[in-house]
Each structure stands twice: as structure tokens, then as C-alpha cells.
């Protein structure tokens, strides 16, 4: 079973994350930031990955520590659940529309973490979520999961739609990349 649990406690956050890659998209999320919960719920549902996230953070400061540390913990859980990456498709990509917005994601579960993020947002917040934290989440997730992650906003005016399209595009790309295809590690090196 490709599943993992991560517990992370710092002076800023107390987090528990569980992922099951071969799930049904069952999600329970509570970070204290409603819009972020909404994005993580969409992420789990659209990837088909079972996801449980619980975070108590220093929201009296702002949402940065919560969002970044959830990204770190979720990335670590993905890396652990993937194991040696034998028999996975490895690559995934998706265009996802959300009303007037269109976003693209391409990723490689390569063991070489990298984030390319091209999404200019026009508003400061969606609810209690600072929109600049979308990039921080994806960076923390990519670095800690060992994924090369490219995200691009093609177009869109409503930042809620743009951010949601990004999370869903990443989810659909991940859904394809973690699929079991059988065989060895998909690399000429023999390891990832």
C-alpha cells in the first residue's frame, strides 16, 4: 500500500498529514485557513489521492507558516509513499480551465526538486489566504517531494479561479504521474 503519515511540530505549527496514493480522493482538511482547505480538498479529490491534513498554526501572525509547513509535510508524505518510485508513470501534465481562467501543470517525479511558477495574481487575498502563498506552498511541496514542478497561468482575471485551476492542474498531473505501470524505475540511470 502506497501510503504515508508525517507529523511535524515546530514553534510555529503542529501538523499531521496522511496520504494514500491509491485512494478514492477522500479528503479531510483543517488548517484554519478556509480558502487553503478548499484548495487542498480540490487537490485530493482531483488527484484521486486520499488526503488527511490537520494543522494548528500561528495564524495570529499570518498564514505563511501554516501554508509553507503543510507544503513541506505533504511533500515529505508523498516522497515516503512513493518509495523507490519503481513502476510509476513518472510524468504528468494537465491543462485545467476554471471559468475564465486556464492553468497548466507539467511535472516529473524525478528526485530533482524544482519549481517553475509563472502566475501573476492581481488580488492580495482570497478570503483569509494571502495569494502569494500559493507559490510558497508549491515550492515547499516540490522541494520536499522531489518533484520537478512547472505551473503556468495561461490567462484569467479572478484569482480564486486561477489558484483553484493551478491546484487542480497539479492534481491531475500527479494523478497520471503516480499511476503504476509496472516494471522498473523509468530512468536510464536505473534510479530516481
Amino acid at each position: 500500500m502506497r501510503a504515508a503519515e508525517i507529523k511535524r511540530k515546530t514553534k510555529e505549527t503542529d501538523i499531521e498529514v496522511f496520504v494514500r496514493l491509491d485512494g478514492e480522493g477522500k479528503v479531510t482538511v483543517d488548517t484554519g485557513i478556509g480558502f487553503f482547505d478548499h484548495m487542498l480538498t480540490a487537490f485530493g479529490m482531483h488527484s484521486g489521492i486520499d488526503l488527511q491534513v490537520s494543522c494548528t498554526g500561528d495564524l495570529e501572525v499570518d498564514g505563511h507558516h501554516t501554508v509553507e509547513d503543510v507544503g513541506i509535510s505533504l511533500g515529505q508524505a508523498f516522497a515516503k509513499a512513493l518509495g523507490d518510485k519503481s513502476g510509476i508513470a513518472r510524468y504528468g501534465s494537465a491543462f485545467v480551465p476554471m471559468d475564465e481562467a486556464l492553468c497548466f501543470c507539467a511535472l516529473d517525479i524525478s528526485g530533482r526538486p524544482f519549481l517553475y511558477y509563472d502566475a501573476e495574481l492581481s488580488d492580495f487575498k482570497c478570503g483569509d489566504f494571502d495569494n502569494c502563498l500559493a507559490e510558497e506552498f508549491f515550492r515547499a511541496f516540490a522541494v520536499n517531494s522531489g518533484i520537478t514542478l512547472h505551473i503556468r497561468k495561461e490567462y484569467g482575471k479572478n484569482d480564486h479561479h486561477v489558484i483553484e485551476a493551478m491546484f487542480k492542474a497539479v492534481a491531475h498531473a500527479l494523478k497520471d504521474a503516480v499511476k503504476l505501470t509496472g516494471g522498473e524505475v523509468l530512468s536510464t540511470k536505473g534510479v530516481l
Side-chain angles (χ1 to χ4, degrees):
M1 176 169 58
R2 300 185 305 160
E5 183 176 16
I6 296 291
K7 294 181 181 183
R8 174 184 168 89
K9 186 170 184 168
T10 70
K11 292 180 180 178
E12 300 165 340
T13 59
D14 187 356
I15 299 171
E16 292 187 24
V17 169
F18 172 79
V19 298
R20 179 180 295 113
L21 301 182
D22 305 305
E24 300 171 358
K26 294 180 181 177
V27 181
T28 58
V29 178
D30 183 10
T31 67
I33 304 172
F35 182 77
F36 188 42
D37 291 355
H38 177 46
M39 293 303 99
L40 292 173
T41 299
F43 179 80
M45 180 178 289
H46 284 265
S47 66
I49 294 168
D50 291 346
L51 180 62
Q52 295 172 13
V53 178
S54 172
C55 176
T56 302
D58 57 356
L59 296 179
E60 70 280 1
V61 174
D62 68 9
H64 189 283
H65 300 143
T66 293
V67 173
E68 183 177 40
D69 287 7
V70 167
I72 290 168
S73 301
L74 190 58
Q76 291 172 345
F78 266 83
K80 189 174 177 182
L82 284 165
D84 71 358
K85 304 175 195 80
S86 291
I88 62 167
R90 180 177 165 179
Y91 298 97
S93 63
F95 280 96
V96 170
M98 179 79 185
D99 297 343
E100 88 298 342
L102 179 68
C103 292
F104 172 73
C105 172
L107 61 84
D108 175 10
I109 302 175
S110 63
R112 296 184 308 277
F114 182 81
L115 174 67
Y116 174 82
Y117 179 91
D118 182 5
E120 188 174 322
L121 301 170
S122 56
D123 297 326
F124 180 66
K125 286 183 171 272
C126 286
D128 290 333
F129 182 84
D130 294 340
N131 291 350
C132 64
L133 295 180
E135 183 174 3
E136 296 304 320
F137 169 79
F138 288 123
R139 179 176 293 107
F141 176 73
V143 167
N144 287 276
S145 61
I147 292 175
T148 299
L149 180 59
H150 293 252
I151 301 169
R152 185 177 66 231
K153 168 189 161 183
E154 298 294 321
Y155 46 80
K157 293 181 180 178
N158 182 310
D159 284 351
H160 182 127
H161 296 161
V162 171
I163 295 169
E164 189 164 345
M166 286 191 290
F167 270 83
K168 289 177 179 177
V170 172
H172 281 274
L174 267 177
K175 184 176 190 174
D176 289 342
V178 302
K179 281 183 186 171
L180 290 171
T181 59
E184 298 177 3
V185 171
L186 186 60
S187 171
T188 56
K189 296 178 183 123
V191 297
L192 290 173

